[in-house]
Amino acid sequence: MTADGPDGVPPLHLPRRTRMLLYGSLLLLVAAVVAALAIGPGTTLAPLLAVAPVLAGATTRRARVPLLVGAAALLAVGLLESANAQLPLSVRISVPVTVLASTLASAASVVLVAARERELFQVRTVSEAAQRALLRPPAERIGPLRVAVRYVAAAAEARIGGDLYAVVETRFGVRILLGDVQGHGLPAVETAADVLGVFREAARTEPDPGRLAERLDAALTARPDGDRFATAVLLDVAPDRGPVRVVNCGHPSPLLRRAGRVSELEPPFPAPPLGLLSLTGEEYPTRHFDPEPGDLLLLHTDGVSEARDAGGRFYPLAQRLPGLHGGSPADVLDAVLTDVGGWVGDSGLADDAAVLAVRWEP
């Protein structure tokens, strides 16, 4: 993210529809000036020139632009009034004053908006730095695995939320975590940071993924706000291409795409989210599956599976995944997010979305 606009403000990008409206207003203004020159003595359309600095202010983040346009508008008013000597004195005074007031107000508005955008830009920059520190991008290639991850915040200005992921290479193999913390905002981000910190430490010392999940559960329970929980999926990929162990803690099931067909890796029995294991008094179950070369495993949060179209229908990820092809896991994830974007349309995502793909190379 860069700011190559004035004083650290990102450059202004106007939507096409907005540009067309501004161009139309400018054409009407030019037509009014031409009409003012052709109109009979005693009347004038010069007050319409007060719109000129307003239009200029809508297209820039530099205060001098509406000031210069306002100065040009005042000059045009002077020329129009000199060519129409029959105008009342009140009109000769009120029109320049109106244009001048509009110019100053437009310049002040540009300064205010630029200051607010500069502040928002700084906040987003800090948010991006926090995301890079908290959600570290994994290596593209780890042994026989190719890995990719994508994170999309529902609110573009937020950049970060309660979804989390981590990929850790250990002596036990590759440990992968993808989860979704209950709630939104800073409390959810703080909880996600705690979960990731415990995972990165425990993944290197705990050989059993079920016990690893229990340690994450205990960490959430021990937090001051112990009523917060998180759904999660843990993968334990052995270094010798042995069976992959999957622990599902109340999270949407991973999807395995093999030879063009997609299946859900459901747990042996339902288990509660992290932070709620004490309610059942049981252990987290572990499921095994044997990977084959070319397999692609997709982990996702409910920001994807619960994305809705205009009719309120959920996005059918399992049904659409077979048709979303790509040359790499990153390409597959980009295709998924593009497809989800087309599904939800202008309404956008209702929740943050994280997707992680793992493919076993030959």
Side-chain angles (χ1 to χ4, degrees), residues 112 218 245 309 313-314 345 362:
L112 178 61
R245 295 181 289 181
D309 64 5
R313 297 175 300 168
F314 289 120

Side-chain angles (χ1 to χ4, degrees), residues 66-138:
L67 290 175
L68 291 174
V69 172
L74 283 172
L75 179 61
V77 167
L79 294 175
L80 290 174
E81 290 187 350
S82 64
N84 195 344
Q86 299 184 20
L87 287 176
L89 179 61
S90 59
V91 174
R92 291 177 176 276
I93 296 175
S94 62
V95 172
V97 170
T98 301
V99 174
L100 179 60
S102 176
T103 299
L104 296 178
S106 298
S109 177
V110 169
V111 171
L112 178 61
V113 171
R116 295 288 177 83
E117 289 190 349
R118 188 182 303 110
E119 180 180 354
L120 177 60
F121 174 77
Q122 292 171 350
V123 171
R124 293 177 66 180
T125 301
V126 172
S127 178
E128 284 187 341
Q131 184 187 48
R132 287 193 296 270
L134 184 63
L135 304 176
R136 304 166 191 169

Side-chain angles (χ1 to χ4, degrees), residues 139-147 174 176 237 358-361:
E140 182 181 354
R141 186 73 180 254
I142 305 176
L145 305 179
R146 293 191 68 180
V147 183
V174 179
I176 298 175
V237 183
V358 180
R359 189 170 71 188
W360 280 260
E361 296 295 298

Side-chain angles (χ1 to χ4, degrees), residues 146 148 176 233-235 237 244-246 253-258 263-265 289 294-300 321 329 333 355-360:
R146 293 191 68 180
I176 298 175
V233 171
L234 288 84
L235 295 184
V237 183
V244 175
R245 295 181 289 181
V246 183
S253 299
L255 300 177
L256 176 64
R257 189 172 76 179
R258 172 179 293 174
S263 58
E264 292 189 12
L265 297 183
F289 81 95
D295 282 356
L296 184 134
L297 188 63
L298 182 72
L299 283 64
H300 62 93
L321 182 59
L333 295 188
V355 283
L356 188 150
V358 180
R359 189 170 71 188
W360 280 260

Side-chain angles (χ1 to χ4, degrees), residues 27-39 45-46 48-49 76 80:
L27 290 175
L28 289 175
L29 187 59
V30 172
V33 173
V34 173
L37 294 173
I39 203 168
L45 296 177
L48 294 177
L49 288 172
L80 290 174

Side-chain angles (χ1 to χ4, degrees), residues 177 209-210 213-214 216-217 230-234 247-252 267 271-274 284-285:
L177 169 70
E214 291 176 16
L216 297 179
D217 173 85
T231 65
V233 171
L234 288 84
V247 178
N248 192 321
C249 311
H251 198 79
L274 300 173
Y284 283 113

Side-chain angles (χ1 to χ4, degrees), residues 44 70 80 122 131 154 182 211 252 266 277 301 314:
T44 181
L80 290 174
Q122 292 171 350
Q131 184 187 48
Q182 168 218 7
R211 287 287 303 154
E266 297 181 349
L277 185 61
T301 61
F314 289 120

Side-chain angles (χ1 to χ4, degrees), residues 162-285:
D163 288 2
L164 57 95
Y165 60 82
V167 179
V168 180
E169 193 171 6
T170 73
R171 58 192 174 96
F172 309 113
V174 179
R175 265 49 194 295
I176 298 175
L177 169 70
L178 185 133
D180 183 3
V181 174
Q182 168 218 7
H184 301 278
L186 186 58
V189 175
E190 292 175 345
T191 304
D194 286 349
V195 172
L196 288 171
V198 174
F199 173 76
R200 289 177 177 130
E201 183 276 328
R204 293 180 168 87
T205 59
E206 179 56 63
D208 182 74
R211 287 287 303 154
L212 175 57
E214 291 176 16
R215 291 179 62 174
L216 297 179
D217 173 85
L220 270 181
T221 305
R223 282 178 52 86
D225 53 343
D227 57 342
R228 192 171 295 275
F229 61 86
T231 65
V233 171
L234 288 84
L235 295 184
D236 185 86
V237 183
D240 56 357
R241 290 184 180 269
V244 175
R245 295 181 289 181
V246 183
V247 178
N248 192 321
C249 311
H251 198 79
S253 299
L255 300 177
L256 176 64
R257 189 172 76 179
R258 172 179 293 174
R261 301 184 64 181
V262 172
S263 58
E264 292 189 12
L265 297 183
E266 297 181 349
F269 57 86
L274 300 173
L276 300 179
L277 185 61
S278 60
L279 298 179
T280 65
E282 299 181 357
E283 299 178 346
Y284 283 113

